[in-house]
Amino acid sequence: MATNRYIDLDLDFKKHPVTKDIVVLKDENAVKRALRNLVLLNHYDVRFHPEIGTGVRALLFDIVSPAHSISLRKVISDAIKNFEPRVELIDVQVVARLAHNEYEVTIRFRVINTQEPATLTLALQRIR
Amino acid sequence: MATQPTISISDVEFDDIKDSLKNYLRSQDEFVDYDFEGAGLSILLNILAYNTHYMAYYINMLANESFLDSAQVRNSIVSHAKHVNYTPQSRRAADAVVNITVTPILGDEPSSITIPKDSMFTASKDGTSYVFYNRSSLIITKDSDDNYISTGATITEGTPLSFIYTVNNQDPDQKFIIPENTVDTTSLIVKVIPTLNDVNDPETIYSLSTDLTTLTSTSQVYFLQEVDGGKFEVVFGDDVIGKKPASNQLIFLDYMTTNGLLANNIGSADTPNTPTFSATVDAEYTFDGQGKFTSDVDVEVSSASFGGAVAESNASIRFLAPKAYEAQSRSVTALDYQTNIIDAFPDAESVIAWGGEDNDPPIYGKVFVSVKPKSGVILSDAAKDDIINNVLKPKNLVTVIPEIVDPDFTYILPTIEVIYDSRLTTKTSATLVTNVTNTIKNYNNTELEKFEKTLRYSKLLKDIDDTDTAILHNRTAIKVQKRFKPDTSNRATYTFKFNNAFFHTDDGCATIVSSTAFTILDNSAVAVTAYLDDDGNGNIRTYKIVKNVNTIINATAGTIDYIKGEIILNDFAPSAFVGDELKITVTPRQFDVKPASSQILIIDETDIAVSATVERDPDKDQVSGTPFPFSLQS
């Protein structure tokens, strides 16, 4: 029987409808959630480790533009390469959706020691 | 059997705590992913570790602030000092002692002239103007020469201010705080003024409480304590211990703010032609039944300003509070004298005291105190009188006479050659020389210039070597020097106690004494330029230089004791000398120079001789530079 290699807590802390326990995320889903957390981490969010994070909030402060897509792509790629060893990064695409005032981030990756590529899509939008 | 996982509880660093939690999680299989920074579990671990770290830091600080020795926050230190009845020193205003000559309007000859309290006397130092005030009115009577001179008047630097509170006993939180943190609390006068419509209750002056055991419910005293921001609060009694002012009475605080230390040593260059102080005074007098004023006031400095000091530092409170408690406001042991003087005279940088029985020669019934002030090298006579009369005598045993003696300065003359590898630095030799000179100045400031501070030769050498990584080693020679101003009018005997043995291999060896030039009568009664040296047999000689040859004038001008480290000049009568002081320089026997009781070792910046030599060839270097002069020293 296959064993789950990665098991993580869901920080939404949803209750499992059957077991009544906290929902856990497994394998690819666990890695995807970790990637999302990593992208949304700001520098200095982790105490004493300001190097961890992407700083996307600072970039989102400016008006959405294709030029900023390049910066976002770089900081997200760097953060994943540096702090998510479970992932073999294939590609990061950031598209500025000017009409929606948001960036669509598509992270294509492969979990280490697996063959199937996976895709995580995030919409980054200024909330204020 | 697997080892039971544990969580270390002694870690206080964030990373250590998190590692400890990870190690614990590794021992079970419910949770994984804790090693990946983006994982939810890792984020939870961050929160747990930070919370633990925060609490550890908080508790550490809490423990630190709970003890006088480790407290860092000023309020905590002051609070701990309060437990041992110690009030930190505020700033102290500098006092100058002056002679004030007042000239009335031509033709008037009043019997007395009054200089009102808080008249202004202005002086400047380093481009900054300082204002002094007389804190009490001066009444000057006509002397036998028909002059009006106030001799020995004390004027104090600062600004006189006052502040008024109205007492409201219904307000439990009312505080009487002096609103300036530059106040000199020794200038504080606290008056309690009755309500204006109560003519039967006169104005009363409350005094600072110094002895709790004598207080009653009617004692008109106040207590003083430091509060936030270095300000001071006046606290009154509770009608059980000390009288409590009634509601609607006015609390009148009269005090001075001051520049403290900055205003010291004003007036040291005072001369009749260039007076230091200019007075803005309307001196009052009555003549022929008319009240008159004169502003014709001249000020002559008798003693330059002294005693100004900054507010007491945290380190000083930590040091002095327990010792003040130990001394119990009494001067009994030698340490009590030191503590009480530093406590009451903040301008004192270093103090030492010793009983007369330990003096050389012994003088029983006396205690000797020597004080090195922060400003200058010796105390003025006025400062000495101030310490004896106002600090020591009130706390002294009645049968013991305190006496303040000037520190006995012995100058250290270092001659240094540093050998450096020019490939290891881009600095020039001149820069290295400057840096080494600064190192020696720093050594002087931190390791010398205080009582009981020994010159540690190896420490000095290490500091010089550590000045720059390019310095390979150094050759340092030490000489010791005494300076004095001989009487140029009368013959006198002078004794110089170096208190360290002199370099002396055997009788008749080469001279180790040298001096600066002075003028003396030679054997033909002709005034010649002369110098001092020794004959290697215990005699000090005077000699003159004739055609580059030393010619002895007096082969027994004095004696030298090589073991005790003492030189005596008998009937020494120079008519002049070069420079401000005559200097006698000797080579000591030991590398380390240890001071005796009132002795202070000091390096004069102008005496530091440094040279830098590049080491190009190790073989050549062995013979380069100045020959080491102490090869025979033990």
Side-chain angles (χ1 to χ4, degrees):
Chain A
M1 191 174 77
T3 306
N4 293 315
R5 294 173 58 219
Y6 304 120
I7 305 173
D8 196 10
L9 289 175
D10 183 355
L11 289 184
D12 292 340
F13 294 113
K14 288 176 182 166
K15 186 169 70 177
H16 193 284
V18 178
T19 64
K20 309 296 183 189
D21 206 348
I22 292 175
V23 169
V24 294
L25 302 168
K26 294 178 182 173
D27 287 341
E28 187 180 300
N29 286 333
V31 175
K32 281 184 176 176
R33 182 56 61 90
L35 284 177
R36 193 195 76 169
N37 291 339
L38 196 58
V39 169
L40 297 181
L41 268 180
N42 251 340
H43 296 298
Y44 296 97
D45 276 354
V46 180
R47 300 295 175 194
F48 310 105
H49 288 284
E51 74 279 7
I52 299 174
T54 59
V56 295
R57 288 182 197 210
L59 291 168
L60 291 175
F61 186 79
D62 287 335
I63 302 294
V64 172
S65 74
H68 281 91
S69 302
I70 300 169
S71 302
L72 272 172
R73 182 172 179 273
K74 177 166 174 41
V75 295
I76 292 171
S77 299
D78 289 348
I80 293 172
K81 286 174 187 168
N82 289 332
F83 302 112
E84 188 46 270
R86 292 174 292 184
V87 162
E88 180 190 336
L89 188 64
I90 299 171
D91 186 23
V92 176
Q93 290 182 351
V94 180
V95 178
R97 298 173 63 185
L98 304 179
H100 295 82
N101 201 30
E102 69 177 20
Y103 296 96
E104 185 180 273
V105 179
T106 305
I107 303 169
R108 294 179 62 235
F109 64 95
R110 192 178 288 118
V111 177
I112 292 287
N113 293 335
T114 64
Q115 298 300 318
E116 291 297 316
T119 303
L120 172 67
T121 304
L122 300 170
L124 299 180
Q125 190 174 37
R126 264 176 66 187
I127 56 172
R128 60 182 174 82
Chain B
M1 190 175 131
T3 308
Q4 186 67 22
T6 57
I7 295 179
S8 171
I9 58 170
S10 59
D11 296 327
V12 291
E13 294 293 336
F14 177 85
D15 286 335
D16 295 341
I17 296 165
K18 192 172 175 186
D19 286 344
S20 178
L21 289 171
K22 283 182 185 175
N23 286 335
Y24 177 74
L25 290 177
R26 279 194 188 100
S27 65
Q28 45 73 58
D29 51 12
E30 286 89 350
F31 295 106
V32 290
D33 289 7
Y34 42 78
D35 253 346
F36 308 113
E37 293 300 338
L41 195 58
S42 177
I43 290 172
L44 287 182
L45 288 185
N46 282 341
I47 295 171
L48 287 171
Y50 179 62
N51 186 51
T52 306
H53 171 78
Y54 178 89
M55 290 306 295
Y57 177 81
Y58 176 75
I59 291 168
N60 179 56
M61 290 302 293
L62 195 66
N64 277 348
E65 296 303 315
S66 300
F67 300 96
L68 181 61
D69 284 335
S70 53
Q72 299 295 318
V73 178
R74 176 81 179 187
N75 282 359
S76 305
I77 295 169
V78 170
S79 178
H80 289 304
K82 199 189 293 182
H83 291 166
V84 289
N85 193 30
Y86 185 83
T87 305
Q89 296 286 343
S90 67
R91 278 194 195 196
R92 287 287 186 266
D95 288 335
V97 181
V98 294
N99 302 327
I100 304 172
T101 304
V102 182
T103 307
I105 297 169
L106 190 63
D108 290 355
E109 291 185 359
S111 58
S112 68
I113 299 177
T114 301
I115 296 179
K117 178 186 180 231
D118 289 340
S119 296
M120 282 176 61
F121 299 86
T122 309
S124 70
K125 176 187 172 189
D126 299 334
T128 304
S129 181
Y130 295 93
V131 183
F132 288 66
Y133 294 86
N134 55 315
R135 296 299 285 153
S136 58
S137 60
L138 301 169
I139 300 172
I140 309 170
T141 53
K142 186 168 67 173
D143 64 15
S144 55
D145 297 327
D146 293 342
N147 292 324
Y148 300 86
I149 302 174
S150 173
T151 305
T154 299
I155 55 177
T156 305
E157 187 276 328
T159 307
L161 294 172
S162 59
F163 199 85
I164 298 176
Y165 285 98
T166 303
V167 178
N168 178 9
N169 287 334
Q170 302 302 312
D171 179 3
D173 296 325
Q174 186 177 31
K175 295 182 186 304
F176 307 109
I177 294 174
I178 302 170
E180 319 282 343
N181 61 6
T182 55
V183 64
D184 175 357
T185 55
T186 59
S187 69
L188 178 65
I189 298 171
V190 177
K191 297 175 189 170
V192 177
I193 301 174
T195 49
L196 295 177
N197 55 2
D198 187 355
V199 294
N200 295 321
D201 192 3
E203 164 189 306
T204 51
I205 293 179
Y206 278 47
S207 58
L208 178 65
S209 170
T210 53
D211 188 354
L212 197 69
T213 58
T214 61
L215 299 185
T216 67
S217 60
T218 57
S219 299
Q220 294 170 331
V221 295
Y222 67 90
F223 306 89
L224 201 61
Q225 61 186 29
E226 187 180 314
V227 291
D228 286 344
K231 295 176 181 173
F232 283 84
E233 179 187 3
V234 173
V235 180
F236 293 96
D238 56 0
D239 278 343
V240 178
I241 299 174
K243 188 176 180 181
K244 182 180 184 180
S247 283
N248 296 324
Q249 287 189 323
L250 303 177
I251 305 297
F252 187 88
L253 306 177
D254 184 6
Y255 55 90
M256 283 192 86
T257 57
T258 176
N259 290 298
L261 186 69
L262 298 176
N264 278 345
N265 209 26
I266 292 177
S268 55
D270 186 81
T271 64
N273 292 330
T274 56
T276 303
F277 289 98
S278 62
T280 309
V281 176
D282 280 333
E284 306 164 351
Y285 62 91
T286 303
F287 187 68
D288 277 349
Q290 292 183 333
K292 295 188 176 182
F293 295 94
T294 178
S295 298
D296 190 351
V297 176
D298 295 316
V299 183
E300 177 200 14
V301 175
S302 171
S303 178
S305 59
F306 65 94
V310 295
E312 189 168 6
S313 65
N314 292 347
S316 176
I317 297 172
R318 279 194 212 100
F319 178 73
L320 279 179
K323 290 174 177 59
Y325 179 68
E326 182 185 323
Q328 293 285 316
S329 291
R330 295 286 180 271
S331 291
V332 179
T333 67
L335 184 61
D336 296 345
Y337 281 88
Q338 296 177 32
T339 305
N340 285 329
I341 289 175
I342 294 176
D343 182 18
F345 193 74
D347 190 31
E349 182 182 15
S350 181
V351 179
I352 193 167
W354 66 97
E357 71 280 7
D358 294 329
N359 199 53
D360 181 18
I363 302 174
Y364 297 99
K366 277 193 171 183
V367 63
F368 292 92
V369 180
S370 194
V371 180
K372 158 81 172 60
K374 288 174 183 165
S375 49
V377 290
I378 59 171
L379 290 178
S380 64
D381 290 342
K384 288 177 187 170
D385 290 343
D386 182 37
I387 290 175
I388 287 181
N389 295 325
N390 299 323
V391 179
L392 295 182
K393 280 194 174 172
K395 300 175 179 178
N396 195 44
L397 292 179
V398 288
T399 54
V400 177
I401 302 168
E403 184 173 323
I404 296 182
V405 295
D406 287 332
D408 176 17
F409 288 99
T410 299
Y411 291 83
I412 305 292
L413 279 62
T415 303
I416 300 117
E417 181 191 18
V418 293
I419 291 82
Y420 70 101
D421 187 340
S422 59
R423 294 166 300 181
L424 298 178
T425 182
T426 57
K427 299 187 180 100
T428 63
S429 63
T431 305
L432 279 179
V433 166
T434 304
N435 291 348
V436 170
T437 305
N438 288 335
T439 296
I440 296 167
K441 287 180 191 172
N442 190 44
Y443 179 87
N444 178 54
N445 292 335
T446 55
E447 301 293 332
L448 301 177
E449 278 201 333
K450 290 185 175 66
F451 295 106
E452 299 176 304
K453 289 280 190 180
T454 299
L455 173 83
R456 302 288 180 195
Y457 185 74
S458 62
K459 175 85 167 58
L460 176 62
L461 264 55
K462 182 176 183 303
D463 285 2
I464 294 170
D465 282 347
D466 291 345
T467 302
D468 198 291
T469 51
I471 296 177
L472 303 171
H473 62 110
N474 72 85
R475 299 187 180 96
T476 299
I478 297 291
K479 291 197 174 189
V480 290
Q481 186 181 76
K482 289 284 186 185
R483 301 177 181 181
F484 72 115
K485 291 181 180 176
D487 189 337
T488 52
S489 307
N490 302 299
R491 291 182 178 278
T493 297
Y494 300 92
T495 302
F496 304 100
K497 295 179 179 176
F498 288 77
N499 299 309
N500 285 270
F502 297 146
F503 179 62
H504 184 67
T505 51
D506 49 42
D507 287 347
C509 67
T511 182
I512 57 161
V513 176
S514 62
S515 78
T516 52
F518 54 92
T519 305
I520 199 168
L521 295 179
D522 68 1
N523 297 329
S524 306
V526 176
V528 295
T529 299
Y531 305 87
L532 295 171
D533 73 356
D534 72 308
D535 63 358
N537 289 309
N539 295 308
I540 294 291
R541 307 178 296 192
T542 53
Y543 69 90
K544 60 183 178 181
I545 300 174
V546 180
K547 295 179 180 176
N548 291 328
V549 176
N550 293 357
T551 305
I552 303 298
I553 299 171
N554 183 355
T556 56
T559 58
I560 177 169
D561 187 326
Y562 299 104
I563 304 301
K564 285 176 68 178
E566 184 176 287
I567 291 175
I568 299 174
L569 294 179
N570 295 317
D571 291 336
F572 190 55
S575 57
F577 53 92
V578 174
D580 294 334
E581 293 171 300
L582 206 162
K583 302 171 181 175
I584 300 177
T585 307
V586 189
T587 305
R589 180 180 181 83
Q590 302 285 353
F591 293 120
D592 291 347
V593 182
K594 190 174 183 182
S597 55
S598 67
Q599 201 173 4
I600 290 181
L601 304 180
I602 188 169
I603 298 176
D604 190 336
E605 293 179 8
T606 58
D607 290 332
I608 303 171
V610 183
S611 61
T613 305
V614 178
E615 181 183 74
R616 295 187 180 86
D617 179 349
D619 294 332
K620 182 183 174 188
D621 181 60
Q622 287 177 5
V623 294
S624 72
T626 311
F628 195 62
F630 291 163
S631 57
L632 295 175
Q633 281 182 307
S634 57

